[in-house]
Amino acid sequence: MPAYTVTVSTGSQWFAGTDDYIYITLIGTERCSERTLLDKPLYNDFERGAVDSYDVRVGEDLGDIVLVKIEKKKYWVQDAWYCKYITVKTPSGDYIEFPCFRWLVDDKEMVLRDGRAHLPQDDKISLVKQHRLKELDMRRKTYRWKEWQPGFPMSIDANRHRELPLDIQFDSEKGVDFILNYSKAIENLCVNNFMHMFQSSWSNIGDFENIFVRIKNTISEYVMQHWKEDFMFGYQFLNGCNPVLIQKCTKLPDKFPVTHEMVSVSLEREMTLEQEIEAGNVYIVDYEILEGISANTTDPCTLQYLAAPICLLYKNIKNKILPIAIQLGQTPGEDTPIFFPTDSEHDWLLAKIWVRSSDFQCHQSVTHLLRTHLITEVFAIAMYRQLPAVHPVYKLLIPHIRFTIAINTKAREQLICKCGIFDKANATGGGGHVQLIQKAMKSLTFRSLCFPDMIKSRGVDKKDELPTYFYRDDGYRVWEATKSFVSDVVHIYYTSDEMIQEDEEIQAFIKDVCSFGMQDFDQCEFPKSLKTREELTEYLTVVVFTASAQHAAVNFGQFDWCSWIPNAPSTMRRPPPNKKGLADVNLIIESLPDRGRSSWHLGAVWALSQYQENELYLGMYLDEHFTEKQVRVAMQKFTKELKDITISIKCRNEGKKLPYYNMSPDKIPNSVAV
């Protein structure tokens, strides 16, 4: 009697094992096996991390094994089980891998395809065609679109983390809870004595060190020592945690009436301001998006304020970026003076603090939340709805959307919801952050997510003009390595452009992102279909890069740059000055966050900057969704390229007082998960 050997691998995460009954049915092209209970006498089957083997005997040859059905039935109480994979050894000695990497819950069954990736047009057997359609039908019922706020990208239809399918929830040991984590952070940082001291101002700037002494690192301590200096202010536009706003100034806007006479003392090349602009030495950062955004009013005892400043920057003869003019509003006039380095020390310092606070608001809501978290969630939901597990693009993307829907659901549940943590410390809390994202959506385009396009559109793409723009340089290299890997995978499965056009599932995925995820907003310019392998390669590179490198670049530097509160105030408690000569130390202290808000802010940037235990970094693919040798060779090539980039970045950073490593591949997690 022919016998098949079935090897079952149980996951190693907490509670992955089960005591329930597990049954298997092998489905071949000729016939099916009997439903067989997988059980060994006097043995505890399916323990966490176990790999167990069983014999399945059949009366006749089954033909080619194309599907495996596994069923779970309750033994005592319902006990979820995480199956990593199943391997079937045929009577002829062949091995067939069936990747799973999913949970079985309740008395459910799951049908698995073998590990080889298949395009929909590849499937000729009715059995596997039906399996493909049934899987997608179930997924579309499970992963539903929902509009959390008008004008936002669509999100998952779940109000709480526990309502999500178990497959996309956090592992138990990861269990992200913002309130718990922030409280732990505040306790670890020894600032729990201050966290409820709202309205209580610090005594002086040095007083901020009371909540800083426990958490110094190379960069944060350097920031504390040099935050008042113009070079530090300018450097952050290149390599801080929001390095995406600086753009070359080709013409001064009418709303920012800076003249040569106003800034001539700051220019070093014996050229007029107009000539410096023509020579490409002048840059600008405009926070126009903050104009009209409502400031936080959730605490009636503390007025909070926002501004929409414009900052003019100058590249000096040492290639340092320095601020030379700041206007704290969009409408010039008597009540909106332009501040210069030649003004009084405190006037100039307060103007820079206002810019840093405005930058913090844009970073948190737009650069970080919208353009990495929410956008990646759109790609993730569309992937689950339109691509079956056997599709090569599903296999490519699944490591890069791991935990993203979960972290975003937690954020909507605890962080950015009404009365959430965001309201406690941020000037855009209480609804301003919602307005800000709604406004930012009107200028978010697909091309702006393509890293080279985004850099070039701001006129900052030339290395000789900005030689210390490490975010750009490292980003280019990671983008190209990622694109090369994606291209390799695309060309393995699509041998012609026509195959892209004939793939109904990939076209449905692209359309779902645009028509539902992005709600078909006219301005977003997301493609609704793809025609060539080059277009698909770029599209998938955007997904992978946004979820990994771009998120890492704007997330994990928050503690470095924002833990020294005066360098990145989360709110301002006095309005922006409407005259010169008003600022002094007292006004600056009264403007900066109070002790309570400072503590919540510090806890937030510390918690958000922590890498997770057992983090999976870019190029690490522990779950083997692909079984083909060609793809594994492509993965090895990708890993080597990333390692070379990491080594190069480490060499460049040696001896630097301000090392830049946020785009180093060994610091880039695979997905948005924090």
Side-chain angles (χ1 to χ4, degrees):
M1 180 179 289
Y4 293 80
T5 301
V6 173
T7 301
V8 182
S9 176
T10 297
S12 57
Q13 59 267 60
W14 286 6
F15 310 115
T18 185
D19 290 324
D20 285 353
Y21 297 111
I22 303 297
Y23 296 87
I24 192 165
T25 304
L26 306 180
I27 303 171
T29 52
E30 298 296 327
R31 56 188 58 83
C32 300
S33 72
E34 295 289 332
R35 178 174 178 259
T36 304
L37 174 65
L38 300 181
D39 181 52
K40 296 178 185 177
L42 304 176
Y43 178 77
N44 201 348
D45 306 276
F46 313 113
E47 287 291 281
R48 175 187 176 195
V51 178
D52 303 312
S53 294
Y54 307 86
D55 286 336
V56 176
R57 300 194 175 276
V58 298
E60 299 179 75
D61 182 58
L62 305 179
D64 295 332
I65 305 297
V66 291
L67 299 172
V68 165
K69 180 165 74 173
I70 46 178
E71 301 170 72
K72 187 175 74 67
K73 296 297 180 182
K74 183 172 71 173
Y75 168 65
W76 184 250
V77 294
Q78 288 293 355
D79 189 13
W81 175 50
Y82 187 86
C83 176
K84 288 179 66 178
Y85 63 82
I86 293 175
T87 301
V88 177
K89 181 184 178 183
T90 68
S92 62
D94 295 327
Y95 288 86
I96 309 169
E97 296 180 50
F98 293 84
C100 184
F101 304 109
R102 279 178 275 174
W103 289 91
L104 267 76
V105 296
D106 303 326
D107 288 344
K108 295 289 178 66
E109 67 177 45
M110 185 182 297
V111 181
L112 305 176
R113 285 280 298 268
D114 73 273
R116 293 169 299 169
H118 297 274
L119 299 176
Q121 57 264 43
D122 295 337
D123 286 342
K124 307 301 181 184
I125 304 172
S126 175
L127 196 64
V128 293
K129 286 183 178 180
Q130 291 173 6
H131 171 262
R132 198 172 192 125
L133 293 173
K134 187 176 179 181
E135 180 184 2
L136 287 178
D137 182 60
M138 180 186 68
R139 290 255 210 87
R140 289 169 188 145
K141 292 175 182 175
T142 304
Y143 297 89
R144 302 174 304 276
W145 294 110
K146 179 182 179 181
E147 184 181 63
W148 186 67
Q149 293 286 348
F152 271 47
M154 296 286 270
S155 55
I156 196 72
D157 184 8
N159 294 320
R160 299 182 183 279
H161 178 261
R162 64 173 179 262
E163 296 173 9
L164 295 172
L166 193 55
D167 284 330
I168 62 171
Q169 290 185 25
F170 285 115
D171 293 340
S172 297
E173 65 257 42
K174 185 171 174 70
V176 167
D177 184 294
F178 284 110
I179 294 173
L180 180 62
N181 284 358
Y182 281 26
S183 298
K184 282 183 180 178
I186 287 167
E187 183 177 349
N188 290 340
L189 300 169
C190 295
V191 294
N192 41 329
N193 293 334
F194 304 114
M195 62 181 292
H196 300 299
M197 296 177 66
F198 293 96
Q199 293 87 52
S200 174
S201 296
W202 300 95
S203 302
N204 53 62
I205 295 290
D207 216 13
F208 281 97
E209 289 191 53
N210 288 335
I211 61 169
F212 190 74
V213 291
R214 282 290 298 274
I215 43 83
K216 295 176 183 177
N217 67 21
T218 302
I219 294 179
S220 63
E221 188 166 8
Y222 195 84
V223 170
M224 180 191 73
Q225 294 167 350
H226 299 279
W227 71 282
K228 294 181 182 180
E229 299 172 39
D230 287 352
F231 91 89
M232 175 62 77
F233 178 89
Y235 179 85
Q236 292 177 75
F237 290 111
L238 300 178
N239 301 310
C241 56
N242 195 27
V244 300
L245 297 183
I246 184 172
Q247 56 184 322
K248 184 177 287 185
C249 180
T250 55
K251 181 180 180 298
L252 280 171
D254 294 338
K255 63 182 180 180
F256 194 26
V258 179
T259 66
H260 171 72
E261 290 71 27
M262 293 175 178
V263 297
S264 59
V265 68
S266 298
L267 307 182
E268 299 181 1
R269 293 182 179 85
E270 298 184 357
M271 299 165 67
T272 66
L273 177 60
E274 291 72 20
Q275 290 170 333
E276 293 276 18
I277 291 174
E278 288 179 14
N281 297 323
V282 180
Y283 296 84
I284 193 168
V285 179
D286 189 349
Y287 297 92
E288 182 180 14
I289 195 169
L290 287 168
E291 179 79 353
I293 300 298
S294 302
N296 194 336
T297 58
T298 58
D299 180 358
C301 298
T302 301
L303 294 176
Q304 299 179 63
Y305 298 90
L306 290 167
I310 311 172
C311 181
L312 201 64
L313 301 161
Y314 175 66
K315 183 183 70 174
N316 72 3
I317 56 177
K318 294 182 179 179
N319 288 319
K320 290 184 177 179
I321 297 295
L322 304 173
I324 58 173
I326 294 172
Q327 180 177 289
L328 298 179
Q330 294 289 308
T331 306
E334 212 172 293
D335 293 335
T336 314
I338 301 175
F339 294 91
F340 306 103
T342 51
D343 292 333
S344 75
E345 175 189 353
H346 294 119
D347 274 348
W348 182 236
L349 181 60
L350 184 57
K352 289 191 293 181
I353 290 172
W354 265 103
V355 172
R356 294 295 307 139
S357 182
S358 300
D359 192 79
F360 180 84
Q361 311 305 330
C362 289
H363 167 263
Q364 290 292 335
S365 294
V366 181
T367 306
H368 184 206
L369 177 58
L370 171 60
R371 296 181 67 91
T372 62
H373 279 257
L374 300 185
I375 290 298
T376 302
E377 183 177 4
V378 167
F379 292 130
I381 297 171
M383 183 204 74
Y384 279 118
R385 288 171 51 83
Q386 305 300 342
L387 300 178
V390 74
H391 198 288
V393 172
Y394 176 95
K395 292 172 179 284
L396 175 69
L397 295 185
I398 189 71
H400 301 289
I401 55 89
R402 180 174 178 258
F403 297 139
T404 299
I405 298 175
I407 193 67
N408 287 359
T409 303
K410 270 291 186 184
R412 287 185 287 268
E413 185 181 344
Q414 296 180 327
L415 186 62
I416 58 175
C417 57
K418 187 176 182 181
C419 301
I421 294 174
F422 208 80
D423 289 355
K424 292 185 182 295
N426 291 1
T428 49
H433 60 300
V434 173
Q435 298 172 10
L436 193 51
I437 290 175
Q438 290 167 334
K439 200 170 182 180
M441 276 291 290
K442 295 177 181 177
S443 60
L444 191 156
T445 65
F446 178 76
R447 299 294 344 153
S448 72
L449 298 175
C450 300
F451 188 81
D453 294 53
M454 180 265 287
I455 294 291
K456 191 169 185 177
S457 69
R458 294 186 284 113
V460 291
D461 52 313
K462 296 178 181 176
K463 186 170 183 177
D464 59 332
E465 294 183 357
L466 287 174
T468 59
Y469 198 5
F470 304 128
Y471 162 76
R472 172 203 60 204
D473 299 340
D474 299 349
Y476 273 149
R477 296 185 67 184
V478 175
W479 170 274
E480 288 303 322
T482 304
K483 187 177 181 182
S484 176
F485 168 59
V486 170
S487 178
D488 287 345
V489 175
V490 166
H491 281 76
I492 288 170
Y493 296 101
Y494 297 94
T495 56
S496 68
D497 291 340
E498 287 73 26
M499 292 182 69
I500 302 278
Q501 299 162 27
E502 294 167 3
D503 186 344
E504 296 177 354
E505 290 170 352
I506 203 68
Q507 299 297 342
F509 164 66
I510 300 301
K511 186 175 181 180
D512 212 18
V513 169
C514 179
S515 299
F516 289 91
M518 298 302 292
Q519 302 197 60
D520 225 351
F521 292 129
D522 292 336
Q523 72 280 354
C524 78
E525 299 174 359
F526 273 61
K528 292 184 179 179
S529 64
L530 299 177
K531 295 181 179 178
T532 68
R533 287 172 290 176
E534 184 179 351
E535 289 176 350
L536 179 60
T537 295
E538 181 182 59
Y539 193 97
L540 299 179
T541 303
V542 165
V543 180
V544 175
F545 186 88
T546 301
S548 56
Q550 184 61 20
H551 177 256
V554 302
N555 179 72
F556 292 102
Q558 291 186 76
F559 176 73
D560 292 340
W561 296 100
C562 304
S563 55
W564 179 245
I565 308 292
N567 186 59
S570 60
T571 190
M572 297 291 278
R573 296 180 298 139
R574 292 289 183 273
N578 57 10
K579 291 181 182 177
K580 295 189 180 185
L582 297 178
D584 57 17
V585 171
N586 289 334
L587 179 59
I588 291 174
I589 291 296
E590 290 169 4
S591 298
L592 289 170
D594 55 42
R595 296 169 191 250
R597 288 178 176 84
S598 296
S599 299
W600 278 101
H601 166 89
L602 191 59
V605 298
W606 185 87
L608 289 171
S609 299
Q610 300 306 300
Y611 291 96
Q612 302 299 322
E613 188 178 353
N614 301 320
E615 190 78 75
L616 296 178
Y617 294 97
L618 190 60
M620 294 174 63
Y621 299 107
L622 298 189
D623 292 349
E624 295 184 354
H625 291 274
F626 284 107
T627 61
E628 293 91 329
K629 183 178 179 181
Q630 286 176 286
V631 182
R632 291 178 176 176
V633 170
M635 286 177 174
Q636 291 169 1
K637 174 188 164 191
F638 184 38
T639 301
K640 184 181 183 306
E641 289 181 7
L642 294 175
K643 186 176 181 180
D644 291 343
I645 295 170
T646 298
I647 292 171
S648 174
I649 291 172
K650 284 182 178 177
C651 290
R652 181 198 66 207
N653 284 337
E654 282 183 10
K656 286 190 179 294
K657 295 177 180 177
L658 281 175
Y660 183 76
Y661 47 76
N662 292 333
M663 274 282 198
S664 181
D666 64 335
K667 301 285 187 182
I668 299 176
N670 262 332
S671 63
V672 177
V674 66

